Structure formats: C-alpha cells, structure tokens
Amino acid sequence: MSASVETVPSFPFSALPSGLPLLLAPAGDWDCAKAAVENGADAIYFGLERFNARMRARNFTEADLPELMAWLHQRGVRGYVTFNTLVFPSELTEAEGYIRSIVAAGVDAAIVQDIGMVRLIRHLSPDFPVHASTQMTITSGIGAEFAEQLDCERVVLARECSLKEIGKIQAHLAEKGSRLSLEVFVHGALCVAYSGQCLTSESLGGRSANRGECAQACRMPYDLVVDGIRRDLGEKRYLLSPQDLAGLEVLPELVKLGIHCLKIEGRLKSPEYVANVTRVYRQALDAVAAGQPQRISRQDRYELEMSFSRGLYTGWLRGINNQELVHARFSKKRGVYLGQVLGIQQDQVVIRLEAPLKAGDGVVFDQGQPDLPEQGGRVYRIQQKQGRAFLSFGPGDIDLNRIHVGDYLWKTSDPELEKRLRHSFIGEQPRHQRPVCIEVHGQVGSPLTVILRDEQGHVVQVESPMPLVAAHHQPLTTEKLKEQLGRLGSTPFKLGSLHNFLTGEVMLPVSALNQMRREAVEQLQALRAQPLRWQLNLEAHWQQLVPPPQLGETGSPQWSVLVRDAKQLQAVLGYAREIPDSAIRQVYCEFEDPRRYREVIAQAKSQYPQVEIWVAPPRITKPGETWILKQVLAAEADGYLLRNYDHLEFFKGQRCIGDFSLNVANPITAHYLKTRYNLERLTASYDLNHEQLGSLLEMGPAHWYEVTIHQHMPMFHMEHCVFCAFLSEGTDYTNCGRPCEKHEVKLRDRANVEHILKADAGCRNTLYNGKAQTGAEYINKLLNLGLRYLRIEFLQESPAQIRQILWSYQQLLAGKLSGSQLWRELKLHSQLGVTRGSLEG
C-alpha cells in the first residue's frame, strides 16, 4: 500500500470554520489538559515554572512542552503559554532562555504582560505569535493599537469592558484596518482590581500580583468607616469580593461582535471544574452555531454552581451595576443554595428545599460569618414530609446546638456529579472528536484514493494496494464508504462529510478499506503532531534591546511632589518658596475633578513661577472618555504624568513622564517607551524592591528614572465603586447621588488598619494603604547609582504634615538625618505609621 502526505499551512489558526470564537480553557496539569480537551476546548493556556501569574497553581515544566504540544495538536487543540508577569533586570538572561524553549517546542502563542518581553520575543523570533495579556490593562481601541504596534496578534481585554465598549473597540480596529483579534473572559473568578494595576499583595504582604503571587486580599472582610464612624452593613462584610463571572447568557452577543476567543478563568481549579465549565460553554456555543435560542438550563446553572461559585453574574459585560456585582456576604465557594433552616427536630434539620439534594451530598450551614468555623458535612439520610425535607447527618458530623432557624444551607459537594465529570476525561480513548472530510476517487483499473482533510487544513492521501475492479454486485456506494471509512470511534476524529468521486460501479475488499482508513488516520495524527516551526534567531540577545551607555546627569537630586487637592498644592508651593534649597522642581496634581485644574494651575503659576505644575490624568481610559483627557489638556499644565497607553497617544507632543502604572520593571521596557514616545523620564515600577531598582539603575541610564520614595501605596484600582454600592441604592454614577463628594470613606481590615478610599473622574475607586511607606533608608544607595529624580506623594496629609515630611526629607538629603531616623521620627511625631513597604528587600 502506498501513501503520500500533503501539509497545508495551518498555524496560526484563524477563527473556526463555523465562525464561532475559540473556546479557551485553563490547564495547570495533565489532568486539567485532558479535562479541557475531552470536553470541547479549542485551546488551553497554562504556565510553566517561572514567569506566570499562577505561581501557586500546579504548572507544567519546560521539559513537558514537546510531549504536551504534540498531544494537543494531535487532538486539534492549541496550547498557549502564560508568560504574564513582569520581568526584573536580573532575570533577563533566564527569560531569554525560557522564550527560546517555548518557541522551539512549537507552542502556539505566548500570553505576555511585560512590554519588554513582547519586544524580546519579537527580537528572538519574527513570527512567533504573541497575545497581549489582560495584565497589560487594555481597555480601549488605542490600547489595542498599542499592542498591535508591539506586533501582538491578539489582545485579551480587561474584564471591566462591557459589551458596548467591546463593540466600540472592535469598530475602532475595523476603521483602522487592523487584523488584531480580541479575546474576552467569559467565565470564572473576577478580580476586583484592574489586572496589572493591583498592588495590594505587594503593599500588604510583599507578594506581588504582577509576579504571580496574589494573596487575594480582595476576598477578605472589611469594615466600612464613613466620616470616622463604622457603618453597620449587617452581613455585608466582603466589600471587595465580586461574584464569579458567568457569560453564558451573552454568548450570542459576543459571537455577533466577532470576538475571536472566549476565555475561561481557572486559577487553582480542579480538573472537574475545567471539565464541567468547558462542557457547558462548548454546548452553548454549538447551540449558538445551530441558531438555537440561548437558554441557560437549570441543570447547567446547577452544575456551574457546584463546580465553583461565589454567586454567578455577568460581571461588567452588561455594564456597571454596583449593587449586583458584589453581594458582600461571603467570598468563598458556596455552591448551590438549598434554602433556610426552618427548625431542628430531635436529630434532624428541617428545611424546604429549593434545589436537589440526596444522601451523600455535602452541605454547609451559613450563619453570615464565613470567616469563622462553620458547621457542615455529608447528608446521611433525607425524609420528605409535606413539602419539607428532614436531613439527618452521621454521628458527630454536625453540632446541632450551633444550627439556628434562619441559617442558610448550601450544597457544596455532589459526589455523583464529580464522578461523572471525572469519567469524562480519564482513560486513553478520545471522547471529544473533531470532524474530518473524506474524499474518495478511482475507477476500474486504478487504485482507490482516499483523502482526509481536517479543520486545520492538514491533508493526507492513501492509495489501495490493488486496483479497483468492476462490481457485479455490492458496489462501493456512498453509504458503504461512510460505513467503513467513518468507523473512527477510537480516534480523535469523527466523519464530518464524505464526497464520493468514484467513476462507475467499482468494488474493493472491505479489509482493504479498513486498512486504508487506519493508515490515513495514522498519517493524519502524525502530521498534526509535528511541532510548529517558528523562526528563531540564534544571534539575537536581550542585551541588544537595552539603552546604549550614556553619561549620567550631574547635579543635585530633585524632588517631585504629587498632591491631591488645592490646599496641598498651596502647602507644597509655599514650602518651596520659603525654602529655596528644598530641591522641589515639579508638582503633580491629581484631583478628582479635572475641571478645577485650569484655574488652580493658572493661579499657582502666577504665584510660584519657579516650580513646574504637571497634571496626572486618571489611570484608566475607556471608549468615550476622551472628554476627561481634553479637560486635562485644557489645564495648560507644564507637563503630564502618563498612566496608560491612551495617554501616550493623546498627549504626544507635550512634555510627558511615564508613571508607575506603565509597569516599567526592566531596561527593555524603559528603552521602548522612552524613545518611542519621547518621554522625559519614567517612574520605576512599584514591584521593584531596592535591590531590583539598583539593578535597573546600573543598566542605565539612571537619569531616565524617577523613584517614588514616600507614598500611600495605591493598592486596589477598581471599576467597582464602593461609594455607590454601600452608600447609595444606585447602580452607577448616573443615579448614585455622588456620595464620594459628601463623605470620607475608609475600609478597615482585620489588622485594624483603615485604608483610604478615593474616587476619580471616571468614577473608579482606588484604595490606598492606610500606612504611608518610605524608602528613605535606600536613598543614598540609589543616589550613588546615579538616580536624580525622587518623588513624594501625599494623600490626605494636612499642610502642617506636608511641611514636616518635606523638611525631614530635605534634612535626609543634607546628611543631617539618616533614613532610619526619618522613618522613626515621622512615625513618632506625625502619626503616619510609616513602613518600609515594597522597597524592603
């Protein structure tokens, strides 16, 4: 039997032939990968040992990549590696080797956060696909263009984008003739803070979310302190913990918008979770393709809630509804709601069931205090009487004395469902099959030719070992060919279509047909398993992307000071005028209302011409929010502190400095941003400790950088408005009554620290650490490395506190006060509670 193989270039894929988005599932290990594949995922994403935002999860290793990618491609599934953390200067050599391994293994794409790493990937390989991670905080068409200019082929949009905003981003890209595709999260846990902009774990525990070490502080209880008084919210204590995202009901709209890929979140989730959620969304997408009305069945919702649920909601996809997003009652998995306890009778709990329950299921009793130990266990027996259920538990499993009438009951475990889900992916035989098209050609005297084509464009051809003969009875009909060639049950394939191009009535032994089918399938599987061959430049290295050596700037250090209201501005400018050697050369204004900038800045310039007044726009820009940037530009400031990719484009041609939110953590990122956008300097990422800052400065030029020495760390930056959610009955800024303008609000954590909440011009909230932090002890080291620009940020400090802090730092630079003395002195006298924070090694 002869065989020939033809390959049609098939990677990177375009959209599926059906026009449906790709379904992308999480996979931390082999079981999760199998669970995703066998339940219909078109692609999986996974991290390796380093540089991924799921460092506490199970991960594959670089050594796993060849086998994993071959298996995935045999099954018609793509594999994306998450390379979605910031990379520090000392890690660049390791990162380069890591990238080379990924490219050489034939991975389909890398999902990347760090701008410098996108640059490095493209430097090493001109054709390896890169996807801009949601950690890049892309919320607009301009932001998507920024990623495209980096040569990304796909953008994972911020989860805070609504369907309407996604549509505007698509329209913007279409107008520009862009080929960039969009990916959207459709299910799973929601981060309350913008991904890539959360500094909470870094601020509170020294573990950076931008380094894959999120401590999930958003899932902790907080007290709401309004104007200095704790507000009683009843059972609502988890003020920053959103419900989980469930986008099933908006799938038709996402398909209509032309979204290329739908992503399931799955941090630290089980294979059963992956199997279940993937299966439900696969079936729903197939229903959309078939034109069936989109309905979420009770069974689908039940199974999604059983897999993992803090409550299911469409998140921000349908727009902002602060009353619905965060119910605030709990932040852990609850499962399916069963009802409230009606009574305790002898050794039984009485309840009117609102969902199915059977013996062996696990339950938990919810008394509104989920941070305390709760009663729960497996149901031993259920008796139904007069519409009520009487639940019995094993001896000692439940302390009935701690169960009360009115307690909520949740179903947390369904062993029968878990067994069924596990059965969906265990074993070696493929369960999810992908269609192949078969063509059959031949005539009397020639061999029978069978051609197989898969969805990706791979083609194989086999010929029979003997010629076809005339059929006197039982010719090879289309039905008979389908019957024999379509027997693909133990393979990754199923018969999609068969085209019969035979001439005349011919015949061939069934055994030969079966052998041809097996040969074609083996050839097709081998072809699909071949690693993708991306280009890899062996002469390229990361050192070629860093700034060339330059002479450092000479002269004394200069201070920039950030203020948040007009009184603070006056206090800083007054200090600078009274003490000419204060080294204050710039003041940044970050006011909630940008309409105040013009008047305040004009007045300040007339009084204090020796100090430059700059303006900081809000950190996020959504479609339709250019009016805010226009108001900022109208202030006629001396310059602008840029926070996002829209700012880089909008303020082009003005004097500009890049702020910390651009996440400059290595010299490759710095070189790209500074030279491409002609920035005067860049603020170093807050993820860098003093040693990493030192490495960044040593790679130089040190005068490119500004380092924030004193600040209240901006921990959470959120679309979620706490003011609206808990101080009004409104859903968003249109009907909330603007409580942010009337009240001072803080969130008190379990350590009794009160963190300060502020709203910005876009009605987004920032929660600032209640304790200011200082890097005073490291200033001399950084200055010796060439640093010349230092920043102090104020939040709620009074004019007297501002003067004291500025004077202390002036004394520090003059050598009259040590860093440790400054830290102790401010803590003792100003009651600022200063900590060393992220600048600690």
Side-chain angles (χ1 to χ4, degrees):
M1 181 178 297
S2 63
S4 63
V5 178
E6 175 191 356
T7 181
V8 175
S10 58
F11 294 95
F13 297 104
S14 58
L16 294 180
S18 62
L20 287 179
L22 300 170
L23 182 59
L24 176 60
D29 59 19
W30 275 105
D31 277 351
C32 287
K34 291 176 180 177
V37 170
E38 299 299 0
N39 284 278
D42 299 303
I44 67 168
Y45 64 100
F46 53 91
L48 302 178
E49 311 100 309
R50 297 293 309 277
F51 307 118
N52 90 85
R54 299 291 180 263
M55 290 307 295
R56 291 196 296 130
R58 298 183 301 273
N59 293 301
F60 289 101
T61 68
E62 290 177 70
D64 292 324
L65 282 177
E67 180 184 1
L68 175 63
M69 295 311 304
W71 180 78
L72 288 172
H73 290 161
Q74 277 188 326
R75 301 302 307 275
V77 175
R78 285 163 252 199
Y80 306 142
V81 167
T82 54
F83 190 10
N84 53 350
T85 66
L86 301 182
V87 175
F88 296 154
S90 63
E91 299 169 327
L92 290 172
T93 298
E94 182 183 0
E96 179 182 313
Y98 179 90
I99 292 167
R100 290 187 186 277
S101 295
I102 293 171
V103 174
V107 170
D108 292 281
I111 305 171
V112 184
Q113 172 188 15
D114 194 304
I115 293 169
M117 292 306 97
V118 181
R119 295 276 295 157
L120 179 55
I121 289 172
R122 190 53 68 239
H123 184 60
L124 297 173
S125 173
D127 60 350
F128 179 71
V130 180
H131 299 170
S133 168
T134 192
Q135 291 280 119
M136 284 184 71
T137 326
I138 293 175
T139 58
S140 68
I142 298 294
E145 279 192 89
F146 175 87
E148 187 170 32
Q149 289 162 5
L150 283 169
D151 208 14
C152 295
E153 69 169 29
R154 187 185 304 174
V155 164
V156 187
L157 291 177
R159 280 170 268 205
E160 290 80 0
C161 292
S162 67
L163 291 169
K164 184 177 180 180
E165 290 161 346
I166 294 168
K168 289 181 178 179
I169 294 170
Q170 282 281 49
H172 177 95
L173 294 174
E175 183 181 342
K176 297 292 184 178
S178 170
R179 299 181 63 186
L180 194 72
S181 64
L182 299 182
E183 180 173 308
V184 172
F185 275 93
V186 74
H187 191 93
L190 282 176
C191 299
V192 76
Y194 273 91
S195 294
Q197 300 297 315
C198 182
L199 295 161
T200 315
S201 297
E202 169 79 4
S203 180
L204 296 179
R207 292 164 49 180
S208 169
N210 281 328
R211 297 280 292 170
E213 298 172 330
C214 173
Q216 296 194 299
C218 52
R219 305 299 180 186
M220 297 294 107
Y222 294 89
D223 290 330
L224 188 72
V225 180
V226 183
D227 301 325
I229 301 171
R230 179 185 177 276
R231 179 69 59 95
D232 185 2
L233 298 176
E235 294 181 348
K236 294 182 177 182
R237 297 190 60 212
Y238 295 85
L239 310 184
L240 303 178
S241 181
Q243 297 190 71
D244 290 340
L245 172 64
L248 268 182
E249 65 184 59
V250 299
L251 283 188
E253 293 155 272
L254 288 167
V255 172
K256 189 179 296 184
L257 283 171
I259 300 305
H260 187 89
C261 185
L262 302 179
K263 188 171 193 172
I264 298 167
E265 184 276 337
R267 185 176 188 263
L268 301 172
K269 297 299 194 301
S270 68
E272 289 79 8
Y273 167 91
V274 174
N276 193 22
V277 178
T278 303
R279 177 190 58 80
V280 170
Y281 279 84
R282 175 78 275 150
Q283 292 175 353
L285 277 173
D286 291 345
V288 171
Q292 299 171 3
Q294 187 64 22
R295 291 190 298 269
I296 303 175
S297 70
R298 292 187 65 179
Q299 184 64 21
D300 284 344
R301 187 171 186 89
Y302 168 83
E303 294 187 2
L304 289 175
E305 288 178 335
M306 284 310 305
S307 288
F308 194 95
S309 170
R310 300 178 180 94
L312 298 179
Y313 183 58
T314 51
W316 288 283
L317 287 171
R318 289 209 181 278
I320 296 172
N321 186 327
N322 288 300
Q323 299 298 332
E324 295 287 340
L325 181 72
V326 176
H327 56 62
R329 287 196 66 255
F330 52 82
S331 65
K332 63 174 79 171
K333 172 187 174 180
R334 278 306 193 199
V336 172
Y337 178 63
L338 294 174
Q340 286 185 276
V341 173
L342 301 178
I344 313 291
Q345 293 186 7
Q346 296 178 347
D347 61 348
Q348 295 180 315
V349 177
V350 185
I351 189 170
R352 182 175 287 109
L353 288 174
E354 299 191 22
L357 182 68
K358 58 187 178 300
D361 288 347
V363 299
V364 66
F365 291 90
D366 173 3
Q367 298 174 333
Q369 296 179 302
D371 49 324
L372 299 177
E374 296 178 315
Q375 293 295 303
R378 297 208 174 273
V379 176
Y380 180 70
R381 183 174 60 250
I382 303 176
Q383 294 175 294
Q384 299 279 358
K385 297 177 186 178
Q386 299 176 337
R388 297 184 177 188
F390 295 76
L391 312 182
S392 300
F393 297 88
D397 288 352
I398 300 289
D399 183 354
L400 295 177
N401 293 322
R402 295 184 56 191
I403 308 301
H404 307 99
V405 173
D407 288 353
Y408 298 103
L409 186 64
W410 299 88
K411 182 174 177 178
T412 57
S413 173
D414 183 341
E416 184 179 290
L417 173 62
E418 292 161 11
K419 181 179 179 181
R420 174 158 53 85
L421 291 172
R422 188 152 193 86
H423 184 70
S424 73
F425 61 86
I426 60 172
E428 298 301 320
Q429 183 166 324
R431 287 176 168 80
H432 184 81
Q433 297 174 304
R434 298 182 178 273
V436 290
C437 174
I438 299 179
E439 290 182 19
V440 180
H441 299 263
Q443 59 188 358
V444 172
S446 69
L448 177 70
T449 300
V450 173
I451 300 171
L452 259 67
R453 288 187 173 86
D454 67 11
E455 295 175 293
Q456 302 156 15
H458 296 106
V459 181
V460 300
Q461 176 178 309
V462 297
E463 294 184 350
S464 61
M466 60 191 75
L468 293 165
V469 297
H472 300 294
H473 55 83
Q474 296 185 339
L476 292 179
T477 62
T478 299
E479 290 70 25
K480 188 170 184 179
L481 289 167
K482 285 182 177 180
E483 179 185 353
Q484 297 303 130
L485 297 179
R487 291 183 176 178
L488 300 167
S490 61
T491 76
F493 311 115
K494 63 182 178 181
L495 181 60
S497 61
L498 186 142
H499 301 281
N500 183 353
F501 295 104
L502 292 175
T503 301
E505 293 192 338
V506 296
M507 65 171 293
L508 193 73
V510 168
S511 59
L513 284 175
N514 292 339
Q515 182 59 31
M516 292 178 70
R517 181 192 68 241
R518 288 190 289 269
E519 178 70 17
V521 166
E522 289 174 4
Q523 294 282 353
L524 185 57
Q525 285 187 285
L527 183 59
R528 286 157 66 105
Q530 290 179 7
L532 304 178
R533 298 300 183 188
W534 307 114
Q535 297 179 53
L536 196 54
N537 184 352
L538 300 180
E539 303 302 319
H541 299 286
W542 68 263
Q543 291 89 345
Q544 296 155 349
L545 296 176
V546 301
Q550 295 182 23
L551 293 175
E553 290 186 357
T554 59
S556 302
Q558 295 185 14
W559 287 105
S560 59
V561 182
L562 187 144
V563 297
R564 291 188 164 92
D565 61 42
K567 289 182 179 178
Q568 288 186 339
L569 175 61
Q570 288 298 316
V572 173
L573 293 176
Y575 180 88
R577 181 174 64 180
E578 293 172 25
I579 306 176
D581 61 348
S582 64
I584 297 174
R585 298 293 178 263
Q586 289 175 316
V587 179
Y588 305 130
C589 294
E590 184 183 9
F591 297 175
E592 180 181 343
D593 186 356
R595 292 172 298 183
R596 299 200 59 205
Y597 284 144
R598 189 179 183 92
E599 178 185 353
V600 169
I601 291 175
Q603 181 181 0
K605 282 185 175 182
S606 65
Q607 295 175 340
Y608 309 99
Q610 73 276 23
V611 178
E612 294 182 350
I613 311 295
W614 290 49
V615 172
R619 277 165 69 181
I620 298 296
T621 304
K622 290 279 202 74
E625 291 184 354
T626 310
W627 63 270
I628 299 177
L629 304 185
K630 290 178 179 178
Q631 286 185 345
V632 172
L633 187 61
E636 298 182 356
D638 290 306
Y640 301 90
L641 188 62
L642 309 187
R643 267 79 181 275
N644 62 42
Y645 310 132
D646 287 74
H647 298 168
L648 291 170
E649 188 64 32
F650 186 88
F651 294 99
K652 190 181 292 184
Q654 306 293 323
R655 293 182 63 194
C656 297
I657 293 172
D659 205 5
F660 73 95
S661 49
L662 294 175
N663 284 328
V664 176
N666 59 65
I668 303 178
T669 300
H671 190 221
Y672 179 77
L673 291 175
K674 190 173 189 307
T675 55
R676 184 178 180 88
Y677 295 98
N678 194 31
L679 304 179
E680 293 192 9
R681 57 184 181 271
L682 296 154
T683 311
S685 166
Y686 291 169
D687 286 285
L688 299 169
N689 64 28
H690 72 96
E691 293 176 347
Q692 292 149 353
L693 275 171
S695 297
L696 185 64
L697 297 175
E698 286 177 324
M699 289 186 178
H703 64 268
W704 278 17
Y705 300 101
E706 179 168 300
V707 172
T708 303
I709 295 297
H710 179 102
Q711 65 166 321
H712 291 265
M713 179 75 83
M715 301 191 303
F716 295 108
H717 189 62
M718 309 174 284
E719 194 76 24
H720 170 51
C721 182
V722 176
F723 295 96
C724 176
F726 302 108
L727 293 180
S728 83
E729 295 182 357
T731 57
D732 60 20
Y733 73 95
T734 64
N735 54 21
C736 68
R738 305 289 294 180
C740 57
E741 297 177 354
K742 304 167 187 174
H743 299 286
E744 179 185 273
V745 172
K746 299 179 180 180
L747 299 188
R748 183 186 296 151
D749 66 19
R750 295 181 300 173
N752 252 1
V753 178
E754 294 185 357
H755 304 293
I756 301 160
L757 190 72
K758 291 285 189 181
D760 68 13
C763 286
R764 296 176 186 99
N765 286 188
T766 305
L767 188 68
Y768 294 89
N769 196 319
K771 294 183 178 180
Q773 69 177 44
T774 179
E777 293 178 79
Y778 308 107
I779 283 183
N780 287 334
K781 171 191 173 182
L782 299 176
L783 293 178
N784 289 336
L785 291 171
L787 181 66
R788 287 294 172 265
Y789 299 100
L790 308 168
R791 186 192 302 179
I792 296 172
E793 292 198 357
F794 294 116
L795 185 59
Q796 288 188 319
E797 288 82 357
S798 67
Q801 290 172 319
I802 287 173
R803 291 180 63 87
Q804 174 62 32
I805 292 169
L806 293 176
W807 174 253
S808 296
Y809 280 103
Q810 185 174 345
Q811 296 295 98
L812 176 69
L813 287 187
K816 298 177 181 179
L817 193 69
S818 71
S820 58
Q821 285 174 324
L822 180 144
W823 180 72
R824 290 195 298 269
E825 181 175 306
L826 290 179
K827 183 177 181 181
L828 177 63
H829 298 299
S830 66
Q831 302 298 308
L832 292 179
V834 181
T835 66
R836 292 175 177 81
S838 67
L839 291 178
E840 187 173 27

